[in-house]
Amino acid sequence: MKFKFTNYDDGIHQIDFKKSADELDLDEQFTGDILLNCRMDKSTYQIVLNCDVSADTELICDRCNEKFIFSVSNKFQNIYFFSSEEETDDVNIHYLSLEQDKIDLSRDVREYARFAIPMKKLCSESCKGLCPQCGINLNEKKCNCKTEVTNPVWDKLQKLKRI
């Protein structure tokens, strides 16, 4: 996702990109197109990019083990200074030499799209998961298994109760 910033005058500009997940070398869990909407504020000394990345992913639910499509989105900001200085430790600040005329956002899009994938992947908040005894998907069917939840902390007291 490269663009030539020298084609734009100073001021605020809206830039939109659309590329497939394959073109961006994203993981196979990403499906379809990756959308990037950027608001560029260009001035004489710097460029500030406020970007929104969104994509669809095919995930596997952590509770019921079923595949589902999940839309992810993330925001990021990059600042580019027109200077011959070296890179800094800040990942969102970059320096553009006078010879450069393009900005490549592909790496940032890949990273922020991956960051948007949730740690706990659920097909829905109300997912019932799998029966721990028979393994049936409780979202689709109800089983007749007896699932008594006991806390192992009380096991020794239960033994005393039986005596």
Side-chain angles (χ1 to χ4, degrees), residues 79-138:
I79 301 171
Y80 298 87
F81 292 107
F82 298 116
S83 176
S84 58
E85 288 190 36
E86 295 295 317
E87 292 290 320
T88 65
D89 291 337
D90 192 335
V91 294
N92 296 341
I93 295 178
H94 308 277
Y95 294 97
L96 298 169
S97 67
L98 297 175
E99 296 83 36
Q100 288 179 287
D101 64 344
K102 292 181 183 140
I103 294 176
D104 187 4
L105 296 170
S106 301
R107 183 185 60 111
D108 294 311
V109 169
R110 280 191 297 273
E111 286 180 7
Y112 284 98
R114 288 180 184 133
F115 289 154
I117 296 174
M119 295 292 284
K120 186 168 188 136
K121 301 166 188 83
L122 297 177
C123 60
S124 73
E125 287 296 321
S126 61
C127 179
K128 297 175 185 172
L130 302 175
C131 173
Q133 292 180 347
C134 67
I136 197 166
N137 187 342
L138 297 173

Side-chain angles (χ1 to χ4, degrees), residues 17-155:
F17 299 96
K18 182 178 183 180
K19 284 213 174 179
S20 72
D22 292 336
E23 287 180 276
L24 287 170
D25 293 327
L26 275 167
D27 306 330
E28 56 197 39
Q29 64 193 5
F30 287 92
T31 61
D33 292 329
I34 311 301
L35 303 175
L36 179 67
N37 302 320
C38 293
R39 181 180 176 271
M40 178 176 73
D41 187 358
K42 183 180 177 192
S43 66
T44 308
Y45 303 106
Q46 70 182 13
I47 295 174
V48 177
L49 286 174
N50 290 301
C51 300
D52 297 323
V53 61
S54 58
D56 287 335
T57 59
E58 186 176 286
L59 303 175
I60 297 175
C61 182
D62 290 338
R63 287 186 188 160
C64 67
N65 207 31
E66 294 289 326
K67 287 185 180 181
F68 67 101
I69 300 295
F70 185 75
S71 296
V72 295
S73 63
N74 209 345
K75 298 175 186 282
F76 64 95
Q77 180 184 62
N78 282 348
I79 301 171
Y80 298 87
F81 292 107
F82 298 116
S83 176
S84 58
E85 288 190 36
E86 295 295 317
E87 292 290 320
T88 65
D89 291 337
D90 192 335
V91 294
N92 296 341
I93 295 178
H94 308 277
Y95 294 97
L96 298 169
S97 67
L98 297 175
E99 296 83 36
Q100 288 179 287
D101 64 344
K102 292 181 183 140
I103 294 176
D104 187 4
L105 296 170
S106 301
R107 183 185 60 111
D108 294 311
V109 169
R110 280 191 297 273
E111 286 180 7
Y112 284 98
R114 288 180 184 133
F115 289 154
I117 296 174
M119 295 292 284
K120 186 168 188 136
K121 301 166 188 83
L122 297 177
C123 60
S124 73
E125 287 296 321
S126 61
C127 179
K128 297 175 185 172
L130 302 175
C131 173
Q133 292 180 347
C134 67
I136 197 166
N137 187 342
L138 297 173
N139 296 314
E140 297 171 358
K141 294 180 184 176
K142 200 171 191 177
C143 68
N144 294 324
C145 298
K146 187 176 179 183
T147 55
E148 188 177 305
V149 180
T150 59
N151 190 336
V153 172
W154 305 110
D155 285 349

